[in-house]
Amino acid sequence: MTTIEIRQLSKSLGSVQVLERFSLEVADSDCVVVLGPSGSGKTTLLRLIAGLEMPDAGEILLDGQPASRPGWVLPPHRRNLGMVFQSPALWPHMTAAENIRFGLAHLTREEARQRTMDLLAGLALDGLSKRYPHELSGGEARRVALARALAPRPKLLLMDEPLTNLNAELILQSLAVIHAHLEKYRPTLVYVTHDSQEATAISSQVIRLSKRSEA
Amino acid sequence: MFSPLLALLIAGILTLTHGNTEWLLLALPSGRRLGILWRSLAMSAGAAVIDVALGVLIACACWGWSRRFAWLRWLPLALIALPPYIHALAWNDVVQQLSFRLGTLRPPGELLSVWVMAMSLLPVGIGLALISLESVARPLVDAALTSRDDQAVFWRVALPLAAPLLAAGGGLIFLLNLLDYSVPSLFGVNVYALEIFAEFSSSNQPVRALLLSFPLLLIAFGVLFAGQTFLRRVAQLPLRGVSPWSAPPQWRGGFSFFQKAALVVWGLQGLVPLVVLVKLTDSGGGWLAALQSAGSEFVFSFSVAGAAALLSLPLGWLAMEELNRRARINRLAGWLFLLPVAIPAPLIGIGLVTLWNHPIFDRFYASAAMPVLAALARFAPMAALVLLAQNQQVDTLLLDAARVFQARDGQTAWRVRLPLLSPGLLASASLIFALTLGELGATLIVVPPGQPTLTLRIYNYLHYGASDVVAGLCLAILLLTLAGGAFSVYFMAAWSRRVASLEQR
């Protein structure tokens, strides 16, 4: 539901040129998988799209509107996006349900509760809603992070290796939830992974990034 | 924070330009004053060395504890809250009893002062030793353990890596002792910080006090300049509370013996004040009478300490934000920020008097705001350091996630950042509260007439010998501060454990 246009984007972190004149167009409701080895700039690309990093050069347009350019970024929460980070990044002082409800402040309490419970059930997390992150296993925490990203039904989903460290059964279950979500709400998805099998399970549109050398 | 020193510097320049240039000689101590300066330096250095050595030994001993009880090693930090005069009262009684029973002479005041100064700052020594040694990365120790035993790895790897931070911590303890006179004065020992107060009391000339402070300021600023990089690093280390040893280390012979001896001293540091105060407080009735007689001082002292603790939080937060932009902070800016820590306590008081003792500020000058200002001027940088430490522990990804998901402006700040910083805010407020409650050097000069703080009242009593009233008051402070300190430490340890368990995934 969001088009992404990335034009001649460059970004360096310290002395390392992570992205150089990178361009990409993602159509409305498309799913794009970004594949590449560690250090190829996959995570940086997602962070740039999310507005968590500022580009050194080039620009990003969302729905045809400028979202990032050198010296200015539209704040992440104004981009109507959900994101799954490389680590679960769950807030330790909130329960699993509170983590998921954080982005649902625009809904009524009952709507937010229902949506949270539905997602927890879909991801086989029933009964864990009141647990704090330190009381969850690594796999459970990853699925709560996935639920948190899906809960607001954003127009743009960014996923940074969301299925890492899950066993085969949980990967299939999570993929089913992601596919169901994509089918029902038609968000635009940018999915980062280094696993080519996982990439093909998500989408046929695959972009390969290669490792950059030091500037 | 800088206003007292700036006021004094401006007054100094004005005075000297009006021809009182002979006062400049005060900045070059000689004769008796030079002797006092050397004595102050030696005593402060002695106390700092004792604290760092005990801290290292205790840290090593704690790594042998089972994981379930490992958090207990942070418990002595609760004793930071114990004002130094309580240690002085307790150890003075112990020495008197021992001298009487053994028929020996009482040790010299200098030795007693060094011991009491060391005891009162021992929690700081232990805390800094734990932070310094536990900052050593476990893989470095693991790698060394493949070829050497635990003890050799400690001396060859862990200690050298922690040495710069330990030295900076020792420098901080040295400064805290050098700039305060409360403990030595109770044992009848004259130190340089007391000379500053005496000069101001006798001449009523703030500029003379400033000039007399110059040698102390130079030394203190130098120590701070040398150690500030490391002090900021201490504040930026992740306080995960994890031993650098994967399995409890096995210590041998003498080293193990000294660790046990250090643990005994640690126990005595907490037990001696408690036991002596209970003994001196002859009855429950006497204790209650003491509390009732000092009711107004209690309320006043706790109000001042509470106000200083609360006000230090926004100040500390702003300073922390500035320090956190590390790219913009250079060595000089960091030093300037920490500078108030290196100003002698009496000079802060004298600076505030110079600044506010004017007819138009009469009402303000005679209010409780003055001791609050004095406490802020002395301790606010420490609040910022504690907040900086907490901020460094917050995973930036958690804040990134909040920025992505927040549905309303300000949701990240209130729902995520503030709670994640809450252990630091609590620690910071507790520390400033405790330090303000025991503050004497600056408070003595700026306290409004007829409204002594509890510390001042006890300090005055102590000069006439301990009584059950003093003991009762000290016991009340001890129990209150211990309860508050223990709660803070428990809360922070629980939080650290929770965060550490998330990161082990």
Side-chain angles (χ1 to χ4, degrees):
Chain A
M1 293 207 291
T2 295
T3 58
I4 305 170
E5 289 174 69
I6 297 173
R7 295 177 183 161
Q8 301 286 309
L9 198 68
S10 294
K11 178 71 184 174
S12 58
L13 298 173
S15 62
V16 181
Q17 185 76 40
V18 186
L19 291 170
E20 195 171 7
R21 291 196 293 278
F22 178 84
S23 295
L24 172 71
E25 283 193 18
V26 184
D28 221 13
S29 301
D30 261 9
C31 301
V32 171
V33 177
V34 181
L35 193 67
S38 297
S40 58
K42 305 185 299 290
T43 297
T44 306
L45 175 65
L46 280 198
R47 291 176 64 82
L48 283 160
I49 298 172
L52 292 166
E53 303 275 355
M54 191 182 290
D56 298 333
E59 65 176 343
I60 298 172
L61 286 85
L62 297 178
D63 284 334
Q65 300 298 314
S68 296
R69 57 171 178 259
W72 178 82
V73 288
L74 181 70
H77 66 282
R78 301 250 181 269
R79 296 177 180 224
N80 195 357
L81 60 87
M83 186 166 178
V84 181
F85 293 85
Q86 213 165 26
S87 73
L90 298 178
W91 302 298
H93 58 293
M94 296 184 201
T95 62
E98 285 169 341
N99 264 280
I100 296 168
R101 278 204 299 268
F102 183 83
L104 303 180
H106 57 289
L107 300 183
T108 65
R109 186 180 289 248
E110 182 50 33
E111 284 172 333
R113 193 194 66 80
Q114 193 54 52
R115 195 179 288 186
T116 304
M117 289 305 155
D118 290 347
L119 276 164
L120 285 171
L123 287 161
L125 293 165
D126 321 61
L128 303 183
S129 64
K130 289 184 179 161
R131 290 213 187 155
Y132 284 92
H134 71 283
E135 296 168 329
L136 299 171
S137 71
E140 288 164 349
R142 288 214 151 265
R143 281 176 286 150
V144 171
L146 178 60
R148 179 176 66 179
L150 301 179
R153 295 174 189 162
K155 289 164 70 179
L156 172 60
L157 266 173
L158 305 173
M159 296 192 178
D160 193 356
E161 306 195 14
L163 307 181
T164 308
N165 293 336
L166 293 185
N167 63 36
E169 189 186 344
L170 287 175
I171 287 177
L172 287 176
Q173 200 170 8
S174 302
L175 279 173
V177 170
I178 292 171
H179 279 302
H181 187 92
L182 295 179
E183 221 159 87
K184 193 168 181 184
Y185 302 107
R186 313 279 301 154
T188 305
L189 170 69
V190 181
Y191 191 104
V192 157
T193 182
H194 61 261
D195 182 336
S196 49
Q197 271 191 324
E198 193 180 317
T200 49
I202 290 289
S203 170
S204 54
Q205 286 191 60
V206 177
I207 294 162
R208 287 175 193 278
L209 291 182
S210 56
K211 192 161 183 172
R212 311 288 312 183
S213 55
E214 288 204 3
Chain B
M1 290 191 308
F2 297 98
S3 61
L5 191 62
L6 285 176
L8 280 174
L9 284 174
I10 292 168
I13 292 166
L14 290 176
T15 308
L16 293 175
T17 50
H18 282 87
N20 288 321
T21 45
E22 73 278 8
W23 287 6
L24 283 171
L25 287 174
L26 283 166
L28 296 168
S30 58
R32 186 184 68 88
R33 277 186 170 149
L34 189 60
I36 292 172
L37 181 61
W38 283 121
R39 181 197 297 150
S40 307
L41 292 172
M43 286 169 59
S44 307
V49 168
I50 291 173
D51 279 340
V52 171
L54 286 172
V56 169
L57 289 167
I58 289 167
C60 291
C62 292
W63 293 335
W65 295 359
S66 115
R67 281 179 71 91
R68 269 183 69 191
F69 301 108
W71 69 275
L72 280 172
R73 69 203 192 289
W74 294 104
L75 206 58
L77 294 188
L79 287 166
I80 289 176
L82 208 58
Y85 53 80
I86 292 185
H87 289 283
L89 172 69
W91 286 99
N92 189 42
D93 185 73
V94 169
V95 168
Q96 263 180 351
Q97 295 292 331
L98 283 177
S99 304
F100 177 71
R101 289 186 187 187
L102 301 175
T104 55
L105 283 175
R106 190 181 152 85
E110 286 85 347
L111 271 184
L112 282 174
S113 298
V114 168
W115 182 250
V116 170
M117 289 194 296
M119 287 301 98
S120 64
L121 289 177
L122 182 59
V124 180
I126 297 173
L128 287 169
L130 281 168
I131 291 169
S132 309
L133 289 164
E134 293 185 359
S135 72
V136 177
R138 194 173 268 186
L140 298 178
V141 170
D142 285 345
L145 283 171
T146 56
S147 51
R148 302 294 296 272
D149 69 6
D150 289 315
Q151 204 146 311
V153 171
F154 174 76
W155 291 111
R156 296 290 187 84
V157 177
L159 194 61
L161 287 172
L165 292 176
L166 283 170
L172 180 68
I173 295 173
F174 170 78
L175 281 186
L176 289 173
N177 284 322
L178 185 68
L179 303 175
D180 206 355
Y181 59 79
S182 54
V183 171
S185 72
L186 288 171
F187 291 104
V189 178
N190 197 5
V191 288
Y192 206 81
L194 186 59
E195 277 292 295
I196 299 167
F197 175 67
E199 178 62 44
F200 178 66
S201 297
S202 60
S203 69
N204 200 26
Q205 291 290 345
V207 177
R208 286 181 66 87
L210 173 69
L211 289 168
L212 189 62
S213 307
F214 258 55
L216 217 53
L217 284 172
L218 272 180
I219 293 163
F221 288 179
V223 171
L224 201 64
F225 191 70
Q228 60 103 7
T229 308
F230 295 114
L231 280 177
R232 271 179 34 223
R233 256 186 69 197
V234 169
Q236 289 165 0
L237 287 171
L239 306 180
R240 296 288 177 262
V242 177
S243 157
W245 265 259
S246 308
Q250 303 294 317
W251 308 119
R252 286 181 274 111
F255 193 48
S256 175
F257 168 78
F258 281 117
Q259 285 175 24
K260 290 186 176 82
L263 285 174
V264 171
V265 174
W266 175 23
L268 288 176
Q269 189 259 352
L271 280 176
V272 164
L274 189 67
V275 171
V276 170
L277 290 177
V278 169
K279 190 196 84 179
L280 288 176
T281 310
D282 59 352
S283 65
W287 191 41
L288 278 178
L291 287 181
Q292 280 165 358
S293 73
S296 62
E297 283 93 338
F298 256 104
V299 172
F300 183 66
S301 301
F302 279 76
S303 306
V304 166
L310 284 179
L311 289 172
S312 70
L313 294 182
L315 273 179
W317 187 299
L318 289 173
M320 176 267 286
E321 294 280 31
E322 199 53 39
L323 276 176
N324 206 30
R325 296 184 189 123
R326 268 174 287 172
R328 285 168 48 190
I329 294 288
N330 57 27
R331 198 171 161 82
L332 186 66
W335 176 71
L336 269 175
F337 162 79
L338 286 168
L339 211 58
V341 176
I343 301 174
L347 208 58
I348 298 261
I350 296 166
L352 285 171
V353 169
T354 309
L355 193 62
W356 296 103
N357 188 12
H358 303 286
I360 52 165
F361 301 127
D362 263 357
R363 289 187 67 179
F364 185 80
Y365 183 66
S367 73
M370 290 301 287
V372 174
L373 278 185
L376 287 175
R378 283 201 71 192
F379 306 130
M382 294 190 193
L385 276 181
V386 174
L387 285 175
L388 186 66
Q390 182 64 39
N391 195 55
Q392 295 299 322
Q393 291 188 66
V394 174
D395 184 352
T396 50
L397 211 52
L398 296 178
L399 299 177
D400 285 346
R403 286 172 63 203
V404 168
F405 292 113
Q406 71 172 3
R408 281 193 292 264
D409 285 333
Q411 206 181 347
T412 299
W414 283 107
R415 292 287 315 280
V416 178
R417 188 135 193 250
L418 197 64
L420 291 176
L421 282 177
S422 60
L425 290 166
L426 178 68
S428 181
S430 306
L431 179 68
I432 305 306
F433 186 89
L435 290 171
T436 307
L437 203 61
E439 213 287 328
L440 178 78
T443 311
L444 188 63
I445 295 169
V446 299
V447 75
Q451 276 186 298
T453 61
L454 209 50
T455 303
L456 282 180
R457 182 169 164 145
I458 294 170
Y459 186 73
N460 288 334
Y461 272 135
L462 282 173
H463 277 101
Y464 306 111
S467 68
D468 62 333
V469 178
V470 177
L473 294 177
C474 288
L475 190 59
I477 292 181
L478 183 139
L479 294 176
L480 280 169
T481 49
L482 266 186
F487 169 74
S488 303
V489 169
Y490 177 78
F491 180 78
M492 283 180 282
W495 184 265
S496 284
R497 278 204 310 279
R498 179 183 284 197
V499 172
S501 75
L502 290 178
E503 288 178 353
Q504 282 164 8
R505 304 263 166 76

